[in-house]
Amino acid sequence: GAAGIRVIMLTGDNPLTAKAIAESIGLGSKKIIDGKQLDKIDDSKLEKELESGINIFARITPFHKLRILTILKKNYRVAMTGDGVNDSLALKKADIGISMGIRGTEVAKQASDIILLDDNFSTIVQAVKEGRRSFDNIRKFINYLFVCNLAEVGVLFLATLDRKSVV
């Protein structure tokens, strides 16, 4: 989207359920790939499918999730959300594992880096906005300190040059 974040649905549900949920949240996908189709393609073909705009994977296993995540991690920072024991492998492997605090299992919570206390996906969007704002502020402050310290070093350097010429 506009924030530079791509949402991909990885679910054990059947393709029709996945499609209905995707439509209700506005998640588009060129097509839906299920676990059986996933087993028939190699990693390079899967990588091409992901690059072509496939955003929905249905009827998949925890190992399928791990495989997709591993391919995505080659080129992207990957955050994974989940609530069940079946998500724990991928939550652990992701750059950022995000579990659900209310309906999440204890295993998922232990495997994750962040626990959403309200189980609301939009909380992640707010957290990303806040995190980017903080990062920008830290960057500005470091630039400010750098410029100030550079000016101080310059003044001291010029002052020492001036003293040597007088003595």
Side-chain angles (χ1 to χ4, degrees), residues 145-159:
L145 286 177
F146 181 71
V147 169
C148 289
N149 287 332
L150 201 59
E152 284 178 30
V153 169
V155 167
L156 289 172
F157 181 70
L158 291 173

Side-chain angles (χ1 to χ4, degrees), residues 58-131:
R59 279 275 180 248
I60 60 170
T61 68
F63 298 106
H64 290 138
K65 289 179 184 181
L66 206 56
R67 184 177 165 207
I68 293 165
L69 194 125
T70 304
I71 289 169
L72 288 169
K73 276 187 75 170
K74 287 182 196 171
N75 301 313
Y76 305 100
R77 295 252 168 91
V78 181
M80 167 77 185
T81 61
D83 60 2
V85 174
N86 61 332
D87 298 318
S88 58
L89 277 173
L91 285 169
K92 196 76 176 158
K93 177 87 174 175
D95 295 310
I96 303 167
I98 305 168
S99 66
M100 305 300 156
I102 298 169
R103 69 175 183 272
T105 63
E106 200 55 42
V107 174
K109 290 178 192 175
Q110 290 295 322
S112 64
D113 301 300
I114 298 170
I115 300 171
L116 289 182
L117 298 178
D118 63 359
D119 283 12
N120 191 339
F121 191 75
S122 65
T123 303
I124 298 169
V125 176
Q126 287 304 114
V128 168
K129 281 182 186 172
E130 199 62 38

